[in-house]
Amino acid sequence: MLILTCPYCGVACDETELSPGGEAHLKRFGPGSSDEEFETYLFHRENPKGVHFERWRHAYGCGKWFHAARHTMTLEVFGTYPAQVYEPPEDIKAAITAKVPGWSWRDFS
Amino acid sequence: MSEPVNALGGARFDGIVQVTEVAPQGMITVRGDLGAGAMEKAVMKAAGLPIPAKTSVVMKGDHAVLWMSPDELMVVLPHGDAPAAVAAMTAALKSEHALVVDVSDARAVFALEGEGPALRETLAKLSPADMRSAALPVGVVRRTRLAQVPAAFWFANDTEARLICFRSVASYVFGILSHAATPGSEVGHFS
Ligand SMILES: [Zn+2]
């Protein structure tokens, strides 16, 4: 069972109080993009055994979307952070590096 | 004006805690910038209370203001006062990007009374929320899941908790609360 702390209200949420929102930091490619870009945006997802970034919504609480960085094998949660960012903040990256030196995920490391 | 009617006619269950459906309450959902001066004035005028700190509730007599999210409050007041309060708050927030809605007849309110450990145990049977008094002290609102439906509850004092849910699930919530409070079902985890 995952427990993620909502960065907006500070509540330690049980997994069942949250709605999963899939992979984090996707860049949308819509009208005017190439077929390849659109295919990547729509279908290509990471499926790592290790560090992963996800979107979650505090559905049974404040209703806000947020990001979570966690380890898919150990279920360790490195941290949560607000939705209004294009990439993980430095303190989250540092927390991951402390536990998983040399990690990388898409363009981040 | 039509008479307000409880969802369950003021149902009551006496178990390890007393579960009572509270008489119709006025409940107003307010959304907007909680830091705005106009918001503070509007809430003070409607409820006579300041804007609560994050995840908190402020109470005075039959008025309360609950922090529901970073941009949402719930104002609790006597049922008959709600329409006038909505009109006053809407006018006070005219220049703000804000929303004021009377949700009195869309919610049900329950009071849970009993010894602190029994109260916490009853809610802990139904919700994944951390019910230890350190995690949920008196005056803190917890929006969470109660079995299969959303609910919000808070401890008004050591021996009474209040719980708000959607009116459409009032009967379900009364049922699960009564079941969780059945005499003989004590676990004793919090005592
Ligand atoms: Zn939240």
Side-chain angles (χ1 to χ4, degrees):
Chain A
M1 193 67 79
L2 270 178
I3 293 176
L4 300 176
T5 300
C6 172
Y8 297 99
C9 57
V11 168
C13 311
D14 178 78
E15 187 178 339
T16 61
E17 294 176 274
L18 305 167
S19 296
E23 188 172 321
H25 304 301
L26 293 179
K27 184 184 173 192
R28 181 172 184 268
F29 288 97
S33 60
S34 69
D35 284 355
E36 191 184 283
E37 283 170 336
F38 188 64
E39 183 205 9
T40 307
Y41 159 64
L42 203 57
F43 297 115
H44 290 202
R45 294 293 180 271
E46 297 296 300
N47 185 22
K49 179 183 180 183
V51 176
H52 196 31
F53 295 88
E54 293 170 322
R55 301 194 317 145
W56 290 85
R57 192 172 85 87
H58 191 184
Y60 280 85
C62 71
K64 305 297 179 198
W65 282 99
F66 63 91
H67 285 132
R70 67 181 186 94
H71 196 291
T72 59
M73 192 175 68
T74 65
L75 292 189
E76 177 173 6
V77 177
F78 302 112
T80 54
Y81 51 101
Q84 292 79 12
V85 292
Y86 291 112
E87 59 176 278
E90 288 307 321
D91 60 324
I92 297 285
K93 288 194 202 173
I96 300 172
T97 302
K99 292 289 179 66
V100 189
W103 68 278
S104 73
W105 185 89
R106 286 194 183 262
D107 297 338
F108 312 135
S109 57
Chain B
M1 212 183 110
S2 54
E3 239 358 84
V5 176
N6 270 131
L8 307 174
R12 183 184 165 100
F13 177 83
D14 286 308
I16 56 175
V17 303
Q18 281 74 53
V19 182
T20 315
E21 187 194 18
V22 175
Q25 300 276 296
M27 284 172 273
I28 302 169
T29 286
V30 188
R31 300 203 72 159
D33 178 0
L34 302 188
M39 179 67 80
E40 192 167 0
K41 274 189 209 148
V43 171
M44 181 57 82
K45 208 171 162 205
L49 290 164
I51 291 180
K54 190 160 87 168
T55 71
S56 297
V57 52
V58 285
M59 297 165 280
K60 194 174 72 184
D62 45 12
H63 289 72
V65 182
L66 285 70
W67 189 96
M68 302 298 276
S69 96
D71 52 12
E72 180 180 347
L73 300 173
M74 178 175 276
V75 176
V76 180
L77 70 179
H79 192 278
D81 296 351
V86 168
M89 292 175 89
T90 303
L93 293 166
K94 199 170 55 198
S95 59
E96 296 286 317
H97 179 59
L99 175 85
V100 183
V101 184
D102 185 350
V103 297
S104 309
D105 301 330
R107 304 284 184 276
V109 185
F110 293 95
L112 299 151
E113 290 159 280
E115 294 301 312
L119 279 178
R120 290 180 182 276
E121 186 174 302
T122 301
L123 290 168
K125 287 178 186 175
L126 302 167
S127 163
D130 187 344
M131 292 305 303
R132 289 173 299 170
S133 50
L136 191 76
V138 169
V140 168
V141 183
R142 183 63 153 87
R143 293 179 77 173
T144 180
R145 178 176 63 79
L146 210 67
Q148 299 187 46
V149 296
F153 50 72
W154 69 98
F155 283 85
N157 54 57
D158 286 331
T159 56
E160 183 182 345
R162 288 259 162 158
L163 184 147
I164 298 179
C165 66
F166 290 113
R167 185 182 174 113
S168 57
V169 294
S171 151
Y172 172 78
V173 167
F174 181 71
I176 54 175
L177 284 171
S178 303
H179 189 247
T182 299
S185 72
E186 299 89 340
V187 178
H189 181 68
F190 294 102
S191 29

